Structure formats: C-alpha cells, structure tokens
Amino acid sequence: GGAAMIYQKDWLLRQIEMFVQFIARLIFHKDTVNYEIPDETNLRQTDLLYNEIRQLVASGKICEAEDLLYARMDTGDLTYLELAADFYQALNGLEDAELERCNFPRVEIHDGLKTLLALYGFQNFIE
C-alpha cells in the first residue's frame, strides 16, 4: 500500500524529529541539536570523532559511522550524546533512496535514537 508507506515514512520522520528535539530541550536546554567544535586548534576527542563520522557519512558509509560512534561512546560525557543526536538528525535529512543505498533505512535512525536514549538512561521518557 502506497498510502501506508507514506504514512509510515512521515511517522518515522516526525518521531525522529521528536526524539532529537527532546534531547535538545531536556538535556541541552536548546531548541535544536547542533554539534559545534568550539576550538579548531584544540580539538577534543568528540571533535575528532565528529569529523571522522562526517567523512564516513559523506562517503555513504553510514553503518561504519554508527559503529564508530558506539565504539567510542562515553556515556559519562553528554558531549557524545549531542554528537550522536546531531549524527542521527543529519541522517534524517537524507532521502529514503540515499539511506536505502547505504543499507541504513530510516527505521534504523529511529532505533538508533532509542538505543542512544536508553544508554544515557532516558528510555522512560520515550515510550
């Protein structure tokens, strides 16, 4: 069913936006998540990771980017949560065809954000 597919896609898009907005507002007290590198001359671990992830995504290696994110994740540091939310938000901006070509359907973004929130202990806010 085409209509059902479109509905599902819109629902996923909105859910992902809601998760990201939730992270932005509740945790960072901002309207949007936007990872920024404060000092280009003195890069933090998260800044280096952010650059690596962006390069992987740009080359269509989304699965590798997500794997790298979780391999380096430090759940004691909220900067990683912001970086991860920024990553998923950027992916949500890609077209379905692009995501499918990278073997990363939109539902994976949704599941990734749920996993992320659970890792940081916020899973009870999203059910």
Side-chain angles (χ1 to χ4, degrees):
M5 285 295 295
I6 291 166
Y7 173 79
Q8 171 73 359
K9 179 190 160 183
D10 286 349
W11 182 85
L12 270 174
L13 269 167
R14 279 199 305 274
Q15 281 288 116
I16 292 163
E17 281 168 11
M18 274 168 46
F19 283 165
V20 171
Q21 202 168 58
F22 167 82
I23 291 170
R25 295 216 170 122
L26 183 91
I27 301 156
F28 299 107
H29 311 294
K30 298 195 289 195
D31 285 332
T32 53
V33 169
N34 184 20
Y35 186 90
E36 283 170 346
I37 297 177
D39 183 358
E40 289 285 353
T41 59
N42 187 18
L43 295 173
R44 304 167 295 179
Q45 287 301 312
T46 47
D47 299 336
L48 297 167
L49 179 57
Y50 177 71
N51 287 336
E52 277 185 72
I53 283 173
R54 279 215 332 217
Q55 283 168 346
L56 284 169
V57 171
S59 347
K61 297 178 176 165
I62 300 174
C63 300
E64 290 92 330
E66 190 185 44
D67 290 345
L68 183 65
L69 178 68
Y70 283 104
R72 302 263 186 90
M73 183 81 69
D74 172 4
T75 52
D77 183 348
L78 283 174
T79 317
Y80 286 90
L81 176 59
E82 189 168 26
L83 191 169
D86 184 293
F87 165 69
Y88 287 122
Q89 179 175 251
L91 294 184
N92 202 34
L94 297 176
E95 292 296 323
D96 280 353
E98 174 75 8
L99 290 167
E100 297 286 343
R101 197 165 66 242
C102 298
N103 297 316
F104 207 90
R106 199 169 305 276
V107 69
E108 297 269 335
I109 304 172
H110 182 259
D111 293 347
L113 278 162
K114 280 178 79 165
T115 301
L116 184 65
L117 285 164
L119 273 176
Y120 277 89
F122 296 111
Q123 67 276 11
N124 52 331
F125 287 98
I126 55 168
E127 284 317 319

